[in-house]
């Protein structure tokens, strides 16, 4: 694919973030299967095989995220593993203690993965850039935040981010590579749609949170 993914675990995607996202999406489904198997009092041969396959798939997915070199994958694997553990435990055991154990376990796994894939023996695998270069997330977030302030409250207009962004780049750092998205849907919505976009997004998140809580407490 592109030179930015050469030697990195991008799978069939052009960007490692997309591969990491696909693997993150698999974790809740694996956890749901493990939770269903856990709820059974007796496991037949077929269920035992599913348990082995699901456990192996979880290890494979977490390893793939560690290998991807995706900053977003590294950050999101922690809450995703926490929710996965809660799915395995079930809502009847969703206590504060269980949540704390899940969080500690997820942070521990993420820490071990980072240490393992940062050793000299595995140099080149799972590496990523946490710096503040012109194409880094830190730089793009900072410059997009300036754009949000300048165009507030109406925004640049839908789809205008790529045209408006160059005005916020430092001329000395401009290369043949250029930014077309903000690396954050939330910031890009705020930049393009202004206050109206932020209100719509907030309403969507509130609705999603309420519906998620209702489904979680339904016992289904």
């Amino acid at each position: 694919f592109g030179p930015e993914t050469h030697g990195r675990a991008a799978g069939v995607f052009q960007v490692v973030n997309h591969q990491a996202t696909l693997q993150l999406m698999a974790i809740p489904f694996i956890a749901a299967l493990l939770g269903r198997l856990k709820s059974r009092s007796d496991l037949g041969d077929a269920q035992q095989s599913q348990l082995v396959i699901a456990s192996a798939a979880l290890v494979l997915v977490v390893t793939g995220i560690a290998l991807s070199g995706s900053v977003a994958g590294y950050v999101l694997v922690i809450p995703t593993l926490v929710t996965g553990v809660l799915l395995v435990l079930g809502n009847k055991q969703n206590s504060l203690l269980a949540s704390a154990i899940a969080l500690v376990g997820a942070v521990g796994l993420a820490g071990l993965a980072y240490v393992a894939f940062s050793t000299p023996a595995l140099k080149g695998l799972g590496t990523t850039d946490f710096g503040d270069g012109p194409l880094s997330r830190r730089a793009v977030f900072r410059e997009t935040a300036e754009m949000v302030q300048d165009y507030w409250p109406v925004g640049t207009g839908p789809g205008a981010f790529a045209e408006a962004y160059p005005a916020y780049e430092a001329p000395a750092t401009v290369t043949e590579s250029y930014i077309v998205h903000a690396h954050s849907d939330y910031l890009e919505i705020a930049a393009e749609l202004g206050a109206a976009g932020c209100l719509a997004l907030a309403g969507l998140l509130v609705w999603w949170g309420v519906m998620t809580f209702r489904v979680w407490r339904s016992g289904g």
Side-chain angles (χ1 to χ4, degrees):
F1 295 108
E4 67 277 1
T5 60
H6 180 69
R8 302 176 71 182
V12 297
F13 295 100
Q14 191 175 11
V15 181
V16 293
N17 292 336
H18 298 167
Q19 175 69 6
T21 299
L22 176 65
Q23 293 167 316
L24 287 166
M25 291 168 60
I27 292 177
F29 290 97
I30 297 172
L33 175 59
L34 290 172
R36 188 177 66 179
L37 294 172
K38 170 183 169 292
S39 65
R40 295 176 63 99
S41 57
D42 59 325
L43 294 178
D45 293 340
Q47 288 74 30
Q48 290 180 4
S49 299
Q50 291 179 6
L51 180 62
V52 172
I53 293 173
S55 301
L58 182 60
V59 173
L60 181 63
V61 165
V62 174
T63 302
I65 295 171
L67 285 169
S68 68
S70 167
V71 177
Y74 292 161
V75 173
L76 293 175
V77 72
I78 296 176
T80 306
L81 285 173
V82 170
T83 55
V85 171
L86 294 178
L87 283 172
V88 174
L89 292 175
N91 60 357
K92 292 182 180 179
Q93 302 181 39
N94 185 15
S95 63
L96 181 61
L97 177 61
S99 302
I101 293 174
L103 177 60
V104 171
V107 172
L109 284 173
L112 287 174
Y114 177 79
V115 171
F117 290 99
S118 298
T119 59
L122 295 174
K123 187 176 182 180
L125 294 178
T127 56
T128 190
D129 182 14
F130 291 94
D132 193 19
L135 299 180
S136 69
R137 279 180 175 78
R138 291 171 59 187
V140 176
F141 288 174
R142 182 174 58 249
E143 290 159 358
T144 303
E146 295 177 7
M147 186 192 306
V148 171
Q149 294 177 358
D150 290 346
Y151 284 92
W152 189 264
V154 296
T156 64
F161 177 86
E163 287 73 23
Y165 185 81
Y168 295 87
E169 292 182 290
T173 64
V174 174
T175 66
E176 66 275 7
S177 298
Y178 54 93
I179 302 296
V180 294
H181 290 292
H183 269 306
S184 167
D185 289 338
Y186 304 103
L187 276 176
E188 192 162 332
I189 288 173
E192 291 189 349
L193 302 178
C198 290
L199 288 174
L201 180 61
L204 175 64
L205 293 176
V206 169
W207 172 85
W208 179 83
V210 171
M211 295 302 296
T212 300
F213 181 77
R214 288 181 180 176
V215 171
W216 183 256
R217 301 299 299 175
S218 67

